[in-house]
Amino acid sequence: MIPYGKQDIQQADIDAVRDVLESDFLTQGPVIQRFEQAVAQKVGANHGLATNSATSALHLACLALGLGQGDWLWTTPITFVASANCGVYCGANIDFVDIDPHTYNLSPAALEKKLQIAEKERRLPKVVVPVHLCGQSCDMEAIHALSQRYGFFIIEDASHAIGGHYKGEPVGCGRYSDITVFSFHPVKIITTGEGGLAITNNTDLAQHMERLRSHGITRDPNLMTHDPDGPWYYQQIELGFNYRMTELQAALGLSQLDRLDAYVASRKERAEWYNHGLASLPLTRPHQHPASDSAWHLYVIRLNQELTPKRRQIFEGLREAGIGVNLHYIPVHTQPYFQTMGFEEGQFPEAERYYAEAISLPLFPTMEDTSHNHVVSTLKRLLSQ
Ligand SMILES: *Cc1c(COP(=O)(O)O)cnc(C)c1O
């Protein structure tokens, strides 16, 4: 089976992890900080905070921004459930903003309309989580302008988008948001096995997330309610978690980061092959907004409307031909868990239409030319049946 995504592990990665195994620290050592600084530097931001997953990083980001009971978090329905669950963890209410029919990212126009209504109803969001679907940045300038007018924080869920650019700057630079989150799950652009990272230019947010990552404990006497009992003393000043990344993971991430640009270039090249190979078929290829330079985590096609009744058959036909197609994503508001919050089908029509038509094709840096040709010829055959 050709998978839809796959990690690339080279000897340098194995050596880096082995070096850590032979060192004094398996966790809470020097490599984590090196990794954090390297990612921050790569994307042009001040602070990076590595975590055991992007989900944890999203949770820390929400907490550091003060999201709590009675607050609202808005995100897109076309995302992984974690983009919404981070708000649920904080006791906040969740709502969704429909997608742009071309980029499939959260639509700034739909956001503006929803904000106008929410302002009248006095239920404006505290946090909005735009998700850079498939690696293509959302229209962050427009979303940022709305955040200034309506007073909400922005967490960019850039789980797909490390290595991508928006208006010539790296995703994660923080020009248009408070915090950006990356994922290092093996299907993503670079991997640490499991892992994530929160990026910010705000020192207070960075320090707060760091404390929450490790139990809410501090060793800074200035933050304690009384003088330290002795040199051993630490104080828990709030409720935190253990969301730390290990040194092994950080070493793998650091080694992978060296190849980030090459990975993105290779993904882009493969996406262009698909664009070329699929040009005459009755489907929509990924639309690229001129301001965004995608990291190409995913290559999603949309079948033309007349083919949507056959989508399942085509999907199964691809799987039967050994092609590990996937579907990103089931609209979050249609999940039974979210329907208990009162969401209904039909509420976000663009997202639901997308869901009826989409298929994610295999795309990863080490994909063979023969695999690529197999995908294209199989799709041709299935679509002409
Ligand atoms: C993968 C992913 C996450 C979660 O990442 P983990 O590192 O697995 O926790 C969150 N949001 C999106 C959009 C993702 O694709």
Side-chain angles (χ1 to χ4, degrees), residues 335-370:
Q335 291 285 354
Y337 181 84
F338 285 86
Q339 299 229 309
T340 65
M341 297 175 190
F343 294 107
E344 290 170 6
E345 277 180 48
Q347 239 180 319
F348 304 100
E350 292 297 348
E352 292 169 34
R353 211 159 13 234
Y354 163 88
Y355 175 56
E357 299 171 358
I359 300 175
S360 307
L361 302 183
L363 180 69
F364 48 94
T366 56
M367 193 172 165
E368 310 262 355
D369 294 10
T370 49

Side-chain angles (χ1 to χ4, degrees), residues 52-58 78-83 131-133 157-160 181-185 187-188 193-196 297-298 328-329:
N52 58 1
S53 73
T55 305
S56 307
L58 286 166
I78 299 300
T79 185
F80 188 52
V81 289
S83 318
V131 178
H132 304 319
L133 193 74
D157 184 341
S159 293
H160 299 182
V181 169
F182 297 128
S183 172
F184 306 127
H185 182 278
V187 297
K188 307 289 166 74
E194 295 279 1
H297 167 52
L298 297 172
H328 301 91
Y329 288 96

Side-chain angles (χ1 to χ4, degrees), residues 74 97-100 106-115 146:
W74 291 4
V97 179
D98 209 352
I99 60 167
D100 176 279
L106 185 147
S107 156
L111 176 61
E112 181 164 20
K113 228 183 245 172
K114 199 176 175 92
L115 287 165
L146 291 169

Side-chain angles (χ1 to χ4, degrees), residues 65 67-68 70-75 92-97 106 111-129 143 146-147 149-154:
L65 292 170
L67 188 74
D71 294 329
W72 287 88
L73 176 144
W74 291 4
T75 187
N93 304 303
I94 307 302
D95 206 346
F96 299 95
V97 179
L106 185 147
L111 176 61
E112 181 164 20
K113 228 183 245 172
K114 199 176 175 92
L115 287 165
Q116 285 166 355
I117 296 165
E119 187 175 40
K120 289 196 194 103
E121 294 176 352
R122 296 171 175 277
R123 50 171 212 92
L124 282 168
K126 184 163 200 167
V127 171
V128 172
V129 182
I143 296 169
L146 291 169
S147 78
R149 197 150 103 225
Y150 291 94
F152 55 83
F153 296 113
I154 300 175

